[in-house]
Amino acid sequence: MSYVDETLARVKQQNPDQPEFNQAVYEVLESLRVVIEKNEDAYRRDALLERLTTPERAIMFRVPWVDDKGQVQVNNGYRVQFNSAIGPYKGGLRFHPSVNLSVIKFLGFEQVFKNSLTGLPIGGGKGGSDFDPKGKSDREVMAFCQSFMTELCKYIGADTDVPAGDIGVGGREIGYLFGQYKRIRDLYEGVLTGKGLSYGGSLARTQATGYGLLYLTDEMLRCNGKSLEGKTVVVSGAGNVATYAIEKAWQLGAKPVTCSDSNGWIYDPDGIDVDTLIEVKQVKRARLTEYAKARPNSVYHEGKGVWSVKCDVALPCATQNELLLDDAKLLVANGCFAVAEGANMPTSLDATAYLQENGVLFCPGKASNAGGVATSALEMSQNSQRLSWTFDEVDAKLKDIMVNIFHNLDAAAKEYGMEGNYVAGANIAGFLKVADAMNAQGIV
Ligand code: NDP
Ligand code: 2IT
């Protein structure tokens, strides 16, 4: 059996109850076959793939807190420190009821390659909890965050592990987490990114993932003789990534016509209005039914459905496995020619294959959503220098990083004889740097 197949079988056997983690490992290792097979004996002797697919450390902890009725609640907390070969662990925290060890491990594994692709010195990690911030009072969210950080603070630090936001963790949560870290550790350091501007945050970090997604999409289209100008874009999600993807799509001349949340979705024939979306989701923390009330031409539908809307470009920006084979078939039938992932692993393996086989330009999240973590690394640099850069400085660096990422993965795909396969290009380019650093550092 080949070393890749042996490793896939071992990961499955050791983690039988972790479907998301197995899915992420499968996607990466399938792309790496060509690289591994060139040097199989050396990789096998060094157990490189075993080390790559086993987190350096996985921390699980109890998070007790008291709700507004005086009832004690208990959630599960996680931090998976996956790989520190190229820098301190870096990656977000997700607060969502669906969080479990499999989800955090898949996200941490993806983060290793994503962070490598940014070209910046950051290793990969991820954390979170099955806590659901939805419907909780600010006091309840603060109580939860303080309890979560009381345990997490033992394992993180500005040069060790630097968490940030992800689903359910935005500016409010980062503020409460930072306050508790500083209080317990008595250290004013850049231990978290996505901070508020008054206490060490970076301009443009809020917008970075969505903007970066569009910078990369724009470059991918340009290099394939196409453009965003005048194109119809469908977007899923209505959170941080989706909102600023929609804003930048407008700025680049496209028309984004959909967004969605976990209850339903909006089609707005006039294009999604960013101010209304921000007012509904960020200010009121309300459902998308409120968007439809504020924009009478728009239509609200219950459930899933954005991929049924005719479009040129599709940007999944909500969550994993939200674009399945039937959705991919609809997109192709409706003439969609590009899909770029804003979320992590939103497209299932069979849907990705279908899109690629039908000539759709497909960019995987570990490349196209890397603008968020890249700008987090820029926030770390500013914190270390005790300086703040302007919005335009950060935005220009972000754009450069995204354009470079595209060219690196495009070149890697070409070098290994898979021109246009950006999934393979991203996995190979991300892997080579991490593998090189791991080799140089010996058996650790
Ligand atoms: P937010 O919490 O701001 O928004 C998430 C959005 O997705 C919300 O609209 C939410 O709906 C919807 N959603 C979440 N879970 C589900 C689900 N199970 N089914 C349907 N809809 C769902 O998160 P972000 O925008 O930050 O994250 C979105 C994606 O982007 C995630 O995959 C994340 O890992 C990824 N990402 C985020 C980065 C960042 O910087 N924030 C960086 C790179 C990737 P509702 O409002 O109902 O909760
Ligand atoms: O998935 C991701 O890259 C993020 N949630 C952002 C991580 C970060 O450290 O900014």
Side-chain angles (χ1 to χ4, degrees):
M1 215 196 282
S2 77
Y3 183 34
V4 164
D5 287 322
E6 269 171 36
T7 308
L8 286 170
R10 184 195 55 82
V11 169
K12 203 167 177 183
Q13 188 241 327
Q14 290 182 348
N15 308 279
D17 52 350
Q18 297 181 2
E20 295 86 358
F21 178 55
N22 276 284
Q23 182 181 341
V25 170
Y26 181 88
E27 191 235 71
V28 170
L29 293 199
E30 276 300 319
S31 305
L32 295 182
R33 263 181 209 285
V34 280
V35 182
I36 303 297
E37 279 165 12
K38 277 193 172 169
N39 225 338
E40 188 164 279
D41 290 346
Y43 282 127
R44 196 198 298 267
R45 186 197 57 221
D46 291 346
L48 192 92
L49 294 183
E50 285 86 336
R51 287 189 286 142
L52 198 68
T53 53
T54 307
E56 288 176 18
R57 199 171 294 105
I59 301 140
M60 295 194 271
F61 49 98
R62 180 172 76 199
V63 189
W65 56 281
V66 182
D67 72 16
D68 284 348
K69 297 191 183 106
Q71 174 65 49
V72 175
Q73 303 284 346
V74 179
N75 287 99
N76 298 306
Y78 304 87
R79 185 73 183 167
V80 172
Q81 299 180 327
F82 222 108
N83 191 304
S84 61
I86 64 174
Y89 310 105
K90 182 84 196 86
L93 297 172
R94 176 176 292 191
F95 293 170
H96 192 271
S98 62
V99 164
N100 56 37
L101 188 59
S102 173
V103 168
I104 298 300
K105 279 176 67 181
F106 117 65
L107 289 163
F109 185 70
E110 288 283 291
Q111 200 82 44
V112 173
F113 303 94
K114 180 193 307 192
N115 294 3
S116 167
L117 284 171
T118 65
L120 300 168
I122 39 178
K126 200 83 184 191
S129 173
D130 54 5
F131 173 74
D132 186 359
K134 230 176 263 160
K136 304 288 191 299
S137 68
D138 285 352
R139 195 211 60 81
E140 288 175 320
V141 172
M142 180 172 75
F144 174 81
C145 288
Q146 290 182 340
S147 180
F148 184 85
M149 183 53 88
T150 300
E151 184 62 25
L152 184 70
C153 74
K154 299 168 188 167
Y155 312 103
I156 63 176
D159 294 311
T160 314
D161 182 356
V162 182
D166 193 81
I167 291 178
V169 178
R172 174 182 61 172
E173 290 75 19
I174 293 291
Y176 294 146
L177 291 164
F178 183 78
Q180 185 73 349
Y181 179 87
K182 181 167 65 68
R183 185 181 188 197
I184 297 180
R185 299 285 300 268
D186 202 16
L187 276 174
Y188 206 111
E189 60 171 3
V191 67
L192 292 160
T193 58
K195 299 185 291 300
L197 299 178
S198 55
Y199 63 95
S202 173
L203 285 161
R205 173 62 187 88
T206 305
Q207 295 84 354
T209 312
Y211 278 21
L213 171 65
L214 269 293
Y215 292 144
L216 187 141
T217 303
D218 195 40
E219 187 66 7
M220 175 173 78
L221 295 194
R222 202 182 61 74
C223 292
N224 284 279
K226 298 181 189 303
S227 104
L228 278 165
E229 189 68 44
K231 301 298 188 302
T232 300
V233 177
V234 297
V235 177
S236 64
N240 173 269
V241 180
T243 301
Y244 297 101
I246 289 169
E247 183 167 84
K248 188 53 77 177
W250 277 119
Q251 290 172 12
L252 295 178
K255 184 175 174 186
V257 294
T258 64
C259 61
S260 66
D261 64 15
S262 44
N263 294 27
W265 59 284
I266 291 283
Y267 171 68
D268 190 335
D270 304 323
I272 297 293
D273 184 68
V274 177
D275 291 341
T276 307
L277 185 61
I278 288 177
E279 177 66 22
V280 170
K281 295 305 287 188
Q282 292 181 28
V283 181
K284 293 187 179 157
R285 296 183 189 275
R287 312 310 304 163
L288 283 176
T289 41
E290 296 298 312
Y291 179 98
K293 282 186 197 154
R295 300 266 297 175
N297 271 351
S298 71
V299 189
Y300 175 79
H301 303 267
E302 281 289 321
K304 270 190 72 167
V306 294
W307 315 123
S308 65
V309 173
K310 187 171 166 47
C311 68
D312 302 300
V313 175
L315 305 173
C317 297
T319 192
Q320 64 270 12
N321 293 325
E322 54 158 326
L323 198 168
L324 307 179
L325 182 58
D326 285 346
D327 304 316
K329 288 182 177 169
L330 276 175
L331 288 171
V332 169
N334 282 330
C336 170
F337 61 76
V339 174
E341 297 183 325
N344 286 305
M345 208 169 73
T347 316
S348 62
L349 292 167
D350 52 359
T352 303
Y354 186 85
L355 292 168
Q356 290 179 317
E357 282 156 17
N358 283 277
V360 176
L361 301 171
F362 181 88
C363 190
K366 60 171 71 71
S368 43
N369 73 34
V373 75
T375 308
S376 278
L378 301 179
E379 182 173 328
M380 290 165 71
S381 299
Q382 293 169 80
N383 291 165
S384 301
Q385 294 178 76
R386 303 195 189 283
L387 287 174
S388 299
W389 303 335
T390 64
F391 188 97
D392 287 347
E393 275 176 281
V394 180
D395 190 38
K397 288 185 202 296
L398 167 64
K399 190 170 177 185
D400 264 6
I401 290 168
M402 299 313 294
V403 167
N404 278 332
I405 290 176
F406 176 73
H407 287 284
N408 287 342
L409 60 90
D410 187 37
K414 284 178 181 150
E415 188 182 336
Y416 285 88
M418 291 181 281
E419 180 162 358
N421 184 343
Y422 302 133
V423 173
N427 288 329
I428 292 169
F431 166 79
L432 288 173
K433 181 175 176 186
V434 176
D436 185 67
M438 287 174 74
N439 274 333
Q441 293 170 29
I443 304 307
V444 292

